[in-house]
Amino acid sequence: MIITYPIVETFHSLQGEGYWSGVSAFFIRLAGCDVHCPWCDQKESWSQHNHPQLSGQLLTQQVVAANPKIMVITGGEPLMHNLEPLTTELASLGIPLHLETSGAYPLTGSFDWITFSPKPYKPPHRSIYNHVKELKVVIADSEDLEWAEIQADQIPPTAIKYLQPEWHSQKSSQIVYNYVLKNPQWRVSLQTHKYIGVR
Ligand code: SF4
């Protein structure tokens, strides 16, 4: 039986956020998310319906054609799906495979890098914490800093910690700037792809 996944879009661009910012990346955006962040800029990904179902084999062919430095499975919330078959298929390419997740569901699949972006609207499943390579907490207002610290206490000490201003909140950049100056264990993550006008 061929396993397929609902795909919102695939595209080749630069990773815009976090540690791998600026690197050539092929994105696979899976449909489905019930975290429902009020400021979400991917609301079209919330429903699993009305999106084409693609096989891992077809997605692998797209990656080969793009020839990126890294592959990124994102969403939506990708862990709503069993990612084991998809990551097994993609791993055959020998290209580093990254996951971007809120961690709201149990971890499935094998990854070289996990970007963990926990959301208070649907708290993470405990299976994610030991596998986090970078923590990226979106900050809309100062109350979110407390949530960021609670999450940071549960990840490996080697994980890199980012605060990312919420794009639509004018005060968020100043909140993050002030906090990182006083708490240098944190870094600022900017959505650089939006500044240069690419996806
Ligand atoms: S977890 Fe991501 S895709 Fe889901 S609602 Fe939040 S920002 Fe949107």
Side-chain angles (χ1 to χ4, degrees):
M1 188 182 79
I2 296 176
I3 297 170
T4 61
Y5 295 85
I7 303 295
V8 178
E9 59 179 348
T10 59
F11 60 98
H12 185 201
S13 186
L14 301 178
Q15 172 57 281
E17 305 173 5
Y19 183 80
W20 294 94
S21 189
V23 168
S24 169
F26 189 84
F27 291 86
I28 299 171
R29 187 182 307 286
L30 294 182
C33 185
D34 61 359
V35 180
H36 293 182
C37 307
W39 37 258
C40 177
D41 60 2
Q42 296 296 336
K43 290 193 171 81
E44 72 277 13
S45 73
W46 288 6
S47 171
Q48 294 193 39
H49 309 294
N50 305 322
H51 298 287
Q53 292 275 340
L54 301 187
S55 67
Q57 188 180 20
L58 190 64
L59 292 164
T60 300
Q61 290 169 2
Q62 292 185 8
V63 176
V64 169
N67 190 29
K69 183 78 172 172
I70 60 174
M71 306 177 281
V72 182
I73 295 179
T74 187
E77 175 41 66
L79 290 177
M80 289 184 76
H81 308 275
N82 177 7
L83 298 180
E84 195 65 49
L86 178 58
T87 61
T88 299
E89 187 98 32
L90 291 170
S92 65
L93 297 175
I95 298 171
L97 178 56
H98 294 201
L99 172 67
E100 296 179 341
T101 178
S102 72
Y105 287 85
L107 178 62
T108 54
S110 299
F111 296 91
D112 299 291
W113 185 272
I114 293 181
T115 300
F116 173 49
S117 189
K119 308 295 188 321
Y121 314 104
K122 190 173 176 70
H125 187 270
R126 65 184 181 283
S127 58
I128 193 75
Y129 287 105
N130 285 343
H131 303 275
V132 173
K133 288 285 198 295
E134 75 178 342
L135 168 67
K136 185 176 66 185
V137 183
V138 176
I139 303 296
D141 55 47
S142 49
E143 285 83 60
D144 296 328
L145 295 167
E146 187 182 348
W147 168 254
E149 292 291 0
I150 291 169
Q151 298 304 308
D153 283 344
Q154 301 175 72
I155 60 172
T158 51
I160 306 169
K161 297 188 285 187
Y162 288 99
L163 299 176
Q164 183 166 293
E166 199 281 301
W167 180 255
H168 299 101
S169 165
Q170 293 191 339
K171 63 182 179 183
S172 66
S173 296
Q174 194 65 45
I175 291 169
V176 167
Y177 174 82
N178 291 340
Y179 196 77
V180 170
L181 289 193
K182 290 185 182 144
N183 300 274
Q185 70 275 25
W186 289 94
R187 305 182 188 185
V188 177
S189 172
L190 298 176
Q191 295 179 290
T192 53
H193 53 295
K194 293 186 177 178
Y195 288 96
I196 61 174
V198 300
R199 284 201 287 175

